[in-house]
Amino acid sequence: MRQSDMAAAIKILKKESIRFETPYLTEVAGEGKDPFRVLVSCVLSLRTKDSTTRAASTRLFEKAKTPAGLSSLAVGVIEKAIYPVGFYRVKARRLRQIANELISRHYSRVPDTMEGLLSLKGVGRKTANLVLTMGYNKPGICVDTHVHRIANRWGYVKTKTPEETEFALRRKLLRRYWIVLNDLLVTFGQNVCRPISPFCSGCRLFRFCARAGVERAR
Ligand code: SF4
């Protein structure tokens, strides 16, 4: 994909996204922009299906809506609430630890800077970018597996890791597309540009796409 094609591609992706279910994290961000909810939901979502994350987050937020609330829960109670998200035991301990750190070092507020977010144990660049963009409406590019895969298939970047992709996109992509990109590509990646055997024959971005690394398609 050439730089000059990006505006048209984003326009198509926006139209396409209406056809599909909204990713859970986008829903959370839309519900009053609570950075704490975005942070907790993002931790729960790692290596977990959207529907499982949705149910687990709902159960957990019924028990705790703030860092203080989460910190007061026993790890076993958190585990039970978030089961069966991937690595639920690790995540339960991590969430409690994050809640404690927010209370002790950040006045019970979720930091609104990349440095502050990355200082929380277990928070990586993907989560930090998501909290910045969806929780605070600040510039950032959240690169998950979908964004990394699709940007490479397009030939827009040529990178080996999501982190490399994030920095390549920060250099190349116009700032006005930073926040929306994750949202659009998660939906597009779940439904059209699937990890294995993407639906290239009916893809509306076909003419822009280098299809780099695509060996099997439908
Ligand atoms: S043409 Fe295929 S590889 Fe390219 S964006 Fe569409 S589905 Fe993905």
Side-chain angles (χ1 to χ4, degrees):
M1 178 169 316
R2 293 171 304 178
Q3 185 73 327
S4 54
D5 295 329
M6 188 52 79
I10 295 282
K11 208 168 163 188
I12 291 170
L13 286 168
K14 281 184 178 166
K15 274 194 188 157
E16 286 287 274
S17 68
I18 297 167
R19 293 198 290 136
F20 304 114
E21 198 177 338
T22 308
Y24 174 63
L25 287 170
T26 309
E27 266 179 40
V28 173
E31 291 163 1
K33 287 236 176 291
D34 178 350
F36 180 66
R37 277 184 181 243
V38 176
L39 174 58
V40 170
S41 302
C42 188
V43 170
L44 291 176
S45 75
L46 304 174
R47 306 216 177 196
T48 303
K49 280 198 306 191
D50 235 31
S51 54
T52 310
T53 305
R54 184 191 306 268
S57 302
T58 306
R59 286 192 299 274
L60 184 60
F61 292 135
E62 273 167 13
K63 295 185 182 301
K65 293 181 174 54
T66 61
L70 188 53
S71 168
S72 71
L73 296 179
V75 171
V77 173
I78 303 175
E79 281 179 6
K80 203 170 165 204
I82 66 175
Y83 178 84
V85 299
F87 306 102
Y88 69 97
R89 286 205 168 97
V90 177
K91 286 178 182 173
R93 281 199 305 277
R94 186 162 291 165
L95 284 172
R96 197 156 175 273
Q97 194 173 7
I98 288 174
N100 288 337
E101 281 188 64
L102 291 177
I103 293 165
S104 62
R105 293 199 289 114
H106 297 280
Y107 306 98
S108 295
R109 278 196 82 236
V110 174
D112 63 353
T113 62
M114 179 63 82
E115 299 71 36
L117 286 159
L118 290 177
S119 77
L120 299 170
K121 198 162 168 50
V123 171
R125 292 197 67 87
K126 180 190 148 184
T127 302
N129 271 299
L130 203 79
V131 173
L132 285 179
T133 54
M134 292 198 173
Y136 287 110
N137 217 20
K138 287 190 162 191
I141 307 181
C142 176
V143 176
D144 64 0
T145 175
H146 297 291
V147 176
H148 175 58
R149 180 181 72 253
I150 297 168
N152 273 281
R153 280 180 176 172
W154 283 349
Y156 190 70
V157 299
K158 201 172 172 190
T159 52
K160 290 197 166 51
T161 65
E163 192 164 318
E164 278 181 34
T165 302
E166 184 201 328
F167 287 109
L169 289 172
R170 279 178 182 266
R171 283 192 296 274
K172 198 168 176 184
L173 187 66
L174 290 179
R175 245 175 202 247
R176 62 172 172 271
Y177 301 135
W178 283 19
I179 293 183
V180 293
L181 192 73
N182 175 272
D183 204 8
L184 294 174
L185 291 193
V186 169
T187 310
F188 188 64
Q190 285 173 345
N191 295 285
V192 181
C193 195
R194 303 274 289 264
I196 299 163
S197 192
F199 292 99
C200 296
S201 59
C203 176
R204 296 196 52 215
L205 295 183
F206 192 93
R207 68 184 189 278
F208 302 129
C209 181
R211 300 179 68 226
V214 175
E215 285 166 8
R216 194 154 57 89
R218 289 173 266 189

